[in-house]
Amino acid sequence: MDLLGSLAGGQPQQSHVTDSGDFLKCSRKGCTAEAGYRLLWNNPKIHSPERRKVWLACPEHTGYLRDFLHARGFWKSTEPLGPADS
């Protein structure tokens, strides 16, 4: 267990690393933090109802990005990233 894992109550932190060794980065402009969530959205004026676009978000920016999409009627759901997303 790493130091951050021990500070998080004994739970090891899950890292979302791509096959190329890069981690999944938050979509918020200027943010370089690792993403922990994906926000699913679509623009109903140009996308079919079943289509889902994805923005990635770190814990700090999840609410900001969700509110941005929700204000425009684009937000559909927020989901935690899982091992299959890496």
Side-chain angles (χ1 to χ4, degrees):
M1 180 182 316
D2 63 7
L3 176 61
L4 293 176
S6 64
L7 293 175
Q11 297 298 322
Q13 289 195 334
Q14 182 178 18
S15 181
H16 301 99
V17 180
T18 64
D19 292 337
S20 63
D22 298 324
F23 70 88
L24 300 177
K25 189 176 77 124
C26 178
S27 297
R28 171 77 163 108
K29 184 177 180 179
C31 183
T32 59
E34 183 175 1
Y37 300 90
R38 61 183 179 175
L39 288 87
L40 304 176
W41 64 277
N42 80 357
N43 181 340
K45 292 182 181 179
I46 61 174
H47 300 129
S48 61
E50 67 278 352
R51 174 134 186 226
R52 293 294 181 263
K53 305 274 289 178
V54 178
W55 280 357
L56 300 175
C58 67
E60 180 180 351
H61 293 120
T62 302
Y64 173 85
L65 293 171
R66 181 192 62 240
D67 292 347
F68 179 91
L69 292 167
H70 191 271
R72 289 152 181 80
F74 296 171
W75 179 81
K76 298 301 178 189
S77 66
T78 301
E79 302 173 353
L81 288 176
D85 296 309
S86 297

